[in-house]
Amino acid sequence: MEIERKFLVKELPSELDTYPCLFIEQAYLNIDPVIRIRRQDNEYYLTYKGKGLMAREEYNLPLNKEAYHHLLEKADGNIITKKRYLIPVLNPSFSGEYVSLSPVNLTVELDIFHEPFAPLIIAEVEFPNEEMAKAFLPPAWLGEDVTDETAYHNSTLSRKIF
């Protein structure tokens, strides 16, 4: 189960280049259900995603380079490329009565999209459970919560006409 929230970004964190960074290229074979292929640096995956916004099933299967490129030719719509920075959330804050029973390690996955989607920047944070996701108070540099807005799903972006 993938449990994540998505945010727009008010400002980029300082010293962005000090965080780990991945190059991602992905394309969609289908959007209902979501079937995606992804190259993440030199690793390749086929992903199935179930229905849902904040929480949904997700299965990742490894591919080799040849299979990825074979499937890439069959993809519909736009190929999405982006840089993903992995930014730790030190001492995350939560609202209300939420108390984590163990230390929490969260990471903001900051996606800086390349053309034709630039200057789009989206941040995602994954959680171990829905209660934590709902109680999470994002760092000040994150902006509007767009978790429930399908316009910001990569599968939707893959169908955008320019």
Side-chain angles (χ1 to χ4, degrees), residues 25-97:
E25 175 185 74
Q26 64 189 42
Y28 290 80
L29 302 173
N30 201 52
I31 60 168
D32 189 17
V34 171
I35 301 174
R36 173 189 78 199
I37 55 171
R38 172 181 278 178
R39 175 170 67 100
Q40 185 169 287
D41 290 336
N42 294 315
E43 297 178 348
Y44 304 89
Y45 302 94
L46 173 78
T47 302
Y48 165 87
K49 291 188 177 208
K51 293 196 180 292
L53 296 172
M54 185 176 71
R56 62 185 177 165
E57 289 179 291
E58 179 177 285
Y59 301 97
N60 288 306
L61 302 169
L63 291 174
N64 61 34
K65 182 178 181 179
E66 293 75 21
Y68 172 81
H69 285 288
H70 176 75
L71 291 170
L72 187 60
E73 294 174 11
K74 296 166 179 14
D76 294 331
N78 301 303
I79 295 172
I80 297 171
T81 56
K82 56 191 175 181
K83 280 189 175 178
R84 172 171 285 173
Y85 292 89
L86 305 174
I87 304 168
V89 180
L90 304 175
N91 303 311
S93 298
F94 301 97
S95 64
E97 302 295 318

Side-chain angles (χ1 to χ4, degrees), residues 106-125:
L106 297 176
T107 301
V108 173
E109 296 177 343
L110 179 71
D111 289 345
I112 299 178
F113 288 77
H114 296 191
E115 293 297 337
F117 303 101
L120 180 62
I121 301 173
I122 297 176
E124 299 177 349
V125 182

Side-chain angles (χ1 to χ4, degrees), residues 3-7 54 123-125 127 133-134 136 145 147:
I3 302 167
E4 72 179 7
R5 288 180 54 197
K6 291 180 185 247
F7 301 90
M54 185 176 71
E124 299 177 349
V125 182
F127 302 91
K134 291 175 183 173
F136 177 69
D145 184 329
T147 302

